[in-house]
Structure formats: C-alpha cells, structure tokens
Amino acid sequence: MSESTDVLQIDKEAQDLLFRAARTANTFSGEPVSEEQVRAIHDLVKFGPTAMNTQPLRVALLRSEESRRRLAPLMAEGNRAKTVSAPLVAVLGFDSEFHLKGERFFPERAEMVAQAFADETGRIPAARLNAALQAAYFIIGVRAAGLAAGPMVGFDAAGIDAEFFPGGTFRTFMMVNIGKPGADHPQFPRLPRYDYEDVYTEF
Amino acid sequence: MSESTDVLQIDKEAQDLLFRAARTANTFSGEPVSEEQVRAIHDLVKFGPTAMNTQPLRVALLRSEESRRRLAPLMAEGNRAKTVSAPLVAVLGFDSEFHLKGERFFPERAEMVAQAFADETGRIPAARLNAALQAAYFIIGVRAAGLAAGPMVGFDAAGIDAEFFPGGTFRTFMMVNIGKPGADHPQFPRLPRYDYEDVYTEF
C-alpha cells in the first residue's frame, strides 16, 4: 500500500501546514495579525459549502486592548490569559436570522429559503451546524495563512452577545485566538487520534 | 494591496483544489472510491482540532448496493437519485457517549472528561459542534484526495440510526456523497458569497 501522503493530491507542505504539523496555540508572539491576512483568509474559505449556501457565520474581531478588557470577564478563567496574549481574537457567532438574507446568498430562491427556515426550532440547529462547518473552514484558513489558531469554548455566550451586539442577531458559539505562536509552542505533546477502524464502519 | 493568494502560505493549486475551484457534486462518474483513499483522508484530517480532543465524529460508509437500498427510503426524495449514483456515501454521525472513551483520546484526563460531559444537556450540543467541525475537515480531506464531495442534510436521522446502528450510540447529522464528478459537473453556476464587510466586525 502506498503512503497516504501520496494518495492525496495536495503537496506534503500543504498537508503539514493545515493538519499534520499544525497545533493549537496557547501562547502567542507579539507579532500582529493584519487585516490583509484576515481578508485573504476570508477570500479563501468563503467558498466552503453550507446548506443552501446560507453562510450563517458572523465574526467579531477583537483587536483593541479595550475590546479585550470587555471580553475578559465573560471568559472562563482558564481561557483569559491566553486570550489576552493573542494579537487577534475572533469571536465566532451565527446570525439567528440568516434566513431573511436570501437575496444575498440565494437570489433565485430567497423566498423559499425564508420559508424553509421560518420555524426557529429548525432554523437555530441549522445555523449551528452550518456555522460550525464554516468555523472549521476558518481554522483551516488561519493555518493556510501561516498563522496558529487557538479554538476555544468556555465563555458566557449570552453575555458576549449582549456586550458586543446588544439587541442584535449575533449568537456566539466559539472563539479562535489567532497569531504567531509563542516561543514555548507547542506546550504539550499531541494527544492520540482515533484509528480508521474506530471511526469508520463499512456497509 | 497584494493578491490574497500571495498572502496565504499554501500554493495556489492547493487553494483551488480545496476551496476556489471545488464545487459540490450532484452527479458522479462510475469510478469507485477506494478504501485506501478514505484511509488517506482520515490519516490527514484526524489531526483537526476538537474540544478536549474528543473527536466525536463516527462515519458509516455505504458502498454496497444493498446498503443503498436500505438508505434510499430514509432520504428526502430530492436527495435519492444523486445518493444512489455516488460510488460512496459517508453517513456522518456523532457518538452520543463519546465522553466515556477518554482513555483513548485524553488518557491523562479520562475521568475529568467523563465528568465534564456527564450531563446530556451539555454533552449532545458539544458532540454536535465538534462533530460538525470534523465534518468540515472531512469535506476538505475528500477534496484533498482529488475527489468531489456532495454534503447533504434532508433525511430521517432517527430512522437511519435505527437501520444501521440499532440500539447504538450513533446519531446521524449529515451525509456526504463522494466520488469523481459526472460529465455534467458542475450543474449550476456558483452562488454568491458574502463579502468581508458582511461577515466581520472589528472592535
């Protein structure tokens, strides 16, 4: 059997940058992350697929020191220090009324989309699923830009929504610290991954 | 401002294969997808990050004609024809009791993980979020192998769980048709994507 790196069509450098050598960062260097880099990430990962092209992900980029001071008390204590040390924090949320913007993302079927997701009991789970797919594309994009991502849960989501988007439709579900890793990165050995046989069952 | 393709560290060919040129497939050629290809995909995307390394994604690979016949009546009608035409269908689910396998994925903290996710009201949403991240990594992996992915929702999830994993802990949340695209691919022009300003708000 050939090496799995050969079965794949992307080169080994890309495989390493995106997956094999990439590690979650818990400390960061002082080097800033530019708007140009975030725009380049978006221009790549915006093409990732979502159901009916709904693209429910919205992102609050916390760059200023003042915005960090507002965020810190809303984070789990274990996440505060690394979040303050990151040059850029992306708060990932979904638009709870994404379905009303079909004119933008599915012009030929805007009304159908609005109707299909009119009921909140179906709409919110759909937003969570599709925004989570986009969150993963975003992590891949951060790595594609040569940066390290530090995804996190563990915060007061409703508190963050109210602090940064009062009265709005932004619903926080995840955060990603972004930057060049600190000198002590990675801080821990990589944890074990499941084998193929653990995950896949063939029928 | 430089081209965003230059700001990124992965080469243009990888950018195109994974995102820019990739399109969801609705028809497939007859060419089979080998187990070797799926193993290579897993060996790449298994490194994608999940909370506490929990890796809740599980996958049923439907390859035999008999397995398709069992699946078809459980699919939304609009998804049946393309699913039957795909050489391989990956039914993506999460393990609703992923937290009891910490000895495998976080040996040093297996008890802590089991306790942290003991309550189902927190565990199932965590499984859905993390398995969705892994679903996106999987789609990227399918594309990295030079194959087309056709992600779908629209099926009787509980019916599929009962048909393929009766009495088990597999919870279907998504499907991905996999193969080389058919001659008429892509069938539709690409739908519009949100601009940077639509998605990002800086603080």
mmCIF file of all heavy atoms in Angstrom, chain B residues 15-36:
data_model
loop_
_atom_site.group_PDB
_atom_site.id
_atom_site.type_symbol
_atom_site.label_atom_id
_atom_site.label_comp_id
_atom_site.label_asym_id
_atom_site.label_seq_id
_atom_site.Cartn_x
_atom_site.Cartn_y
_atom_site.Cartn_z
ATOM 1 N N GLN B 15 -5.019 25.789 -2.878
ATOM 2 C CA GLN B 15 -6.144 26.716 -2.646
ATOM 3 C C GLN B 15 -7.315 26.377 -3.578
ATOM 4 O O GLN B 15 -8.475 26.341 -3.160
ATOM 5 C CB GLN B 15 -5.720 28.158 -2.891
ATOM 6 C CG GLN B 15 -4.694 28.694 -1.901
ATOM 7 C CD GLN B 15 -4.258 30.113 -2.230
ATOM 8 O OE1 GLN B 15 -5.058 30.916 -2.719
ATOM 9 N NE2 GLN B 15 -3.003 30.428 -1.967
ATOM 10 N N ASP B 16 -6.972 26.141 -4.844
ATOM 11 C CA ASP B 16 -8.016 25.834 -5.831
ATOM 12 C C ASP B 16 -8.686 24.492 -5.541
ATOM 13 O O ASP B 16 -9.912 24.382 -5.578
ATOM 14 C CB ASP B 16 -7.418 25.809 -7.240
ATOM 15 C CG ASP B 16 -7.096 27.210 -7.752
ATOM 16 O OD1 ASP B 16 -7.600 28.191 -7.151
ATOM 17 O OD2 ASP B 16 -6.353 27.331 -8.743
ATOM 18 N N LEU B 17 -7.857 23.485 -5.251
ATOM 19 C CA LEU B 17 -8.403 22.140 -5.045
ATOM 20 C C LEU B 17 -9.326 22.093 -3.825
ATOM 21 O O LEU B 17 -10.366 21.451 -3.837
ATOM 22 C CB LEU B 17 -7.258 21.130 -4.871
ATOM 23 C CG LEU B 17 -7.658 19.657 -4.925
ATOM 24 C CD1 LEU B 17 -8.067 19.264 -6.349
ATOM 25 C CD2 LEU B 17 -6.528 18.754 -4.431
ATOM 26 N N LEU B 18 -8.944 22.805 -2.767
ATOM 27 C CA LEU B 18 -9.707 22.727 -1.515
ATOM 28 C C LEU B 18 -10.892 23.687 -1.479
ATOM 29 O O LEU B 18 -11.918 23.382 -0.869
ATOM 30 C CB LEU B 18 -8.789 23.007 -0.319
ATOM 31 C CG LEU B 18 -7.586 22.076 -0.148
ATOM 32 C CD1 LEU B 18 -6.827 22.426 1.129
ATOM 33 C CD2 LEU B 18 -8.004 20.618 -0.135
ATOM 34 N N PHE B 19 -10.749 24.865 -2.097
ATOM 35 C CA PHE B 19 -11.786 25.897 -1.936
ATOM 36 C C PHE B 19 -12.220 26.580 -3.239
ATOM 37 O O PHE B 19 -13.400 26.605 -3.556
ATOM 38 C CB PHE B 19 -11.304 26.976 -0.955
ATOM 39 C CG PHE B 19 -11.274 26.529 0.476
ATOM 40 C CD1 PHE B 19 -10.064 26.239 1.112
ATOM 41 C CD2 PHE B 19 -12.444 26.386 1.205
ATOM 42 C CE1 PHE B 19 -10.027 25.818 2.434
ATOM 43 C CE2 PHE B 19 -12.420 25.967 2.526
ATOM 44 C CZ PHE B 19 -11.210 25.684 3.139
ATOM 45 N N ARG B 20 -11.257 27.193 -3.954
ATOM 46 C CA ARG B 20 -11.648 28.120 -5.031
ATOM 47 C C ARG B 20 -12.288 27.433 -6.222
ATOM 48 O O ARG B 20 -13.249 27.934 -6.801
ATOM 49 C CB ARG B 20 -10.435 28.921 -5.506
ATOM 50 C CG ARG B 20 -9.920 29.905 -4.479
ATOM 51 C CD ARG B 20 -8.840 30.813 -5.069
ATOM 52 N NE ARG B 20 -7.939 31.277 -4.038
ATOM 53 C CZ ARG B 20 -8.219 32.267 -3.193
ATOM 54 N NH1 ARG B 20 -9.361 32.908 -3.280
ATOM 55 N NH2 ARG B 20 -7.353 32.618 -2.262
ATOM 56 N N ALA B 21 -11.739 26.281 -6.616
ATOM 57 C CA ALA B 21 -12.278 25.591 -7.793
ATOM 58 C C ALA B 21 -13.217 24.466 -7.392
ATOM 59 O O ALA B 21 -13.938 23.928 -8.229
ATOM 60 C CB ALA B 21 -11.126 25.039 -8.640
ATOM 61 N N ALA B 22 -13.228 24.093 -6.113
ATOM 62 C CA ALA B 22 -14.047 22.959 -5.657
ATOM 63 C C ALA B 22 -15.517 23.328 -5.692
ATOM 64 O O ALA B 22 -15.898 24.434 -5.313
ATOM 65 C CB ALA B 22 -13.635 22.571 -4.236
ATOM 66 N N ARG B 23 -16.331 22.398 -6.128
ATOM 67 C CA ARG B 23 -17.778 22.601 -6.157
ATOM 68 C C ARG B 23 -18.469 21.355 -5.629
ATOM 69 O O ARG B 23 -17.999 20.234 -5.856
ATOM 70 C CB ARG B 23 -18.242 22.859 -7.613
ATOM 71 C CG ARG B 23 -17.698 24.146 -8.249
ATOM 72 C CD ARG B 23 -18.305 25.387 -7.618
ATOM 73 N NE ARG B 23 -19.762 25.313 -7.575
ATOM 74 C CZ ARG B 23 -20.563 25.611 -8.614
ATOM 75 N NH1 ARG B 23 -20.059 26.022 -9.753
ATOM 76 N NH2 ARG B 23 -21.873 25.504 -8.499
ATOM 77 N N THR B 24 -19.587 21.547 -4.961
ATOM 78 C CA THR B 24 -20.410 20.428 -4.516
ATOM 79 C C THR B 24 -20.868 19.633 -5.731
ATOM 80 O O THR B 24 -21.322 20.216 -6.711
ATOM 81 C CB THR B 24 -21.614 20.973 -3.724
ATOM 82 O OG1 THR B 24 -21.136 21.453 -2.458
ATOM 83 C CG2 THR B 24 -22.674 19.913 -3.504
ATOM 84 N N ALA B 25 -20.735 18.308 -5.657
ATOM 85 C CA ALA B 25 -21.126 17.450 -6.786
ATOM 86 C C ALA B 25 -22.521 16.877 -6.567
ATOM 87 O O ALA B 25 -22.863 16.444 -5.463
ATOM 88 C CB ALA B 25 -20.121 16.314 -6.949
ATOM 89 N N ASN B 26 -23.311 16.903 -7.622
ATOM 90 C CA ASN B 26 -24.648 16.303 -7.595
ATOM 91 C C ASN B 26 -24.763 15.107 -8.520
ATOM 92 O O ASN B 26 -25.754 14.385 -8.492
ATOM 93 C CB ASN B 26 -25.698 17.355 -7.964
ATOM 94 C CG ASN B 26 -25.780 18.455 -6.928
ATOM 95 O OD1 ASN B 26 -26.004 18.190 -5.756
ATOM 96 N ND2 ASN B 26 -25.560 19.690 -7.341
ATOM 97 N N THR B 27 -23.752 14.904 -9.385
ATOM 98 C CA THR B 27 -23.691 13.699 -10.216
ATOM 99 C C THR B 27 -22.270 13.156 -10.127
ATOM 100 O O THR B 27 -21.324 13.897 -9.830
ATOM 101 C CB THR B 27 -24.018 14.006 -11.690
ATOM 102 O OG1 THR B 27 -23.011 14.888 -12.218
ATOM 103 C CG2 THR B 27 -25.382 14.671 -11.830
ATOM 104 N N PHE B 28 -22.130 11.851 -10.407
ATOM 105 C CA PHE B 28 -20.832 11.202 -10.235
ATOM 106 C C PHE B 28 -20.531 10.277 -11.408
ATOM 107 O O PHE B 28 -21.454 9.707 -12.016
ATOM 108 C CB PHE B 28 -20.819 10.407 -8.924
ATOM 109 C CG PHE B 28 -20.942 11.294 -7.718
ATOM 110 C CD1 PHE B 28 -22.193 11.628 -7.201
ATOM 111 C CD2 PHE B 28 -19.815 11.847 -7.138
ATOM 112 C CE1 PHE B 28 -22.314 12.476 -6.115
ATOM 113 C CE2 PHE B 28 -19.929 12.701 -6.045
ATOM 114 C CZ PHE B 28 -21.183 13.020 -5.541
ATOM 115 N N SER B 29 -19.252 10.128 -11.718
ATOM 116 C CA SER B 29 -18.822 9.145 -12.706
ATOM 117 C C SER B 29 -18.880 7.767 -12.062
ATOM 118 O O SER B 29 -19.085 7.639 -10.851
ATOM 119 C CB SER B 29 -17.396 9.435 -13.179
ATOM 120 O OG SER B 29 -16.459 8.950 -12.240
ATOM 121 N N GLY B 30 -18.665 6.725 -12.836
ATOM 122 C CA GLY B 30 -18.726 5.370 -12.284
ATOM 123 C C GLY B 30 -17.482 4.968 -11.504
ATOM 124 O O GLY B 30 -17.468 3.915 -10.861
ATOM 125 N N GLU B 31 -16.451 5.793 -11.532
ATOM 126 C CA GLU B 31 -15.173 5.416 -10.919
ATOM 127 C C GLU B 31 -15.313 5.189 -9.406
ATOM 128 O O GLU B 31 -15.818 6.068 -8.699
ATOM 129 C CB GLU B 31 -14.156 6.534 -11.186
ATOM 130 C CG GLU B 31 -12.717 6.133 -10.937
ATOM 131 C CD GLU B 31 -11.756 7.276 -11.309
ATOM 132 O OE1 GLU B 31 -12.063 8.055 -12.241
ATOM 133 O OE2 GLU B 31 -10.717 7.384 -10.649
ATOM 134 N N PRO B 32 -14.858 4.045 -8.902
ATOM 135 C CA PRO B 32 -15.013 3.778 -7.465
ATOM 136 C C PRO B 32 -14.079 4.613 -6.599
ATOM 137 O O PRO B 32 -13.075 5.144 -7.077
ATOM 138 C CB PRO B 32 -14.675 2.291 -7.338
ATOM 139 C CG PRO B 32 -13.861 1.951 -8.526
ATOM 140 C CD PRO B 32 -14.244 2.913 -9.620
ATOM 141 N N VAL B 33 -14.438 4.735 -5.328
ATOM 142 C CA VAL B 33 -13.577 5.355 -4.315
ATOM 143 C C VAL B 33 -13.002 4.216 -3.487
ATOM 144 O O VAL B 33 -13.753 3.398 -2.946
ATOM 145 C CB VAL B 33 -14.384 6.318 -3.420
ATOM 146 C CG1 VAL B 33 -13.511 6.877 -2.308
ATOM 147 C CG2 VAL B 33 -14.995 7.438 -4.257
ATOM 148 N N SER B 34 -11.681 4.153 -3.386
ATOM 149 C CA SER B 34 -11.053 3.011 -2.723
ATOM 150 C C SER B 34 -10.975 3.223 -1.210
ATOM 151 O O SER B 34 -10.980 4.354 -0.717
ATOM 152 C CB SER B 34 -9.646 2.792 -3.273
ATOM 153 O OG SER B 34 -8.800 3.864 -2.881
ATOM 154 N N GLU B 35 -10.872 2.100 -0.491
ATOM 155 C CA GLU B 35 -10.643 2.191 0.946
ATOM 156 C C GLU B 35 -9.330 2.920 1.218
ATOM 157 O O GLU B 35 -9.216 3.678 2.189
ATOM 158 C CB GLU B 35 -10.598 0.789 1.564
ATOM 159 C CG GLU B 35 -10.397 0.842 3.078
ATOM 160 C CD GLU B 35 -10.267 -0.528 3.715
ATOM 161 O OE1 GLU B 35 -11.020 -1.450 3.338
ATOM 162 O OE2 GLU B 35 -9.402 -0.668 4.601
ATOM 163 N N GLU B 36 -8.346 2.723 0.348
ATOM 164 C CA GLU B 36 -7.055 3.386 0.512
ATOM 165 C C GLU B 36 -7.225 4.916 0.499
ATOM 166 O O GLU B 36 -6.570 5.627 1.269
ATOM 167 C CB GLU B 36 -6.117 2.945 -0.620
ATOM 168 C CG GLU B 36 -4.717 3.503 -0.489
ATOM 169 C CD GLU B 36 -3.825 3.112 -1.671
ATOM 170 O OE1 GLU B 36 -4.378 2.766 -2.744
ATOM 171 O OE2 GLU B 36 -2.601 3.179 -1.511
#
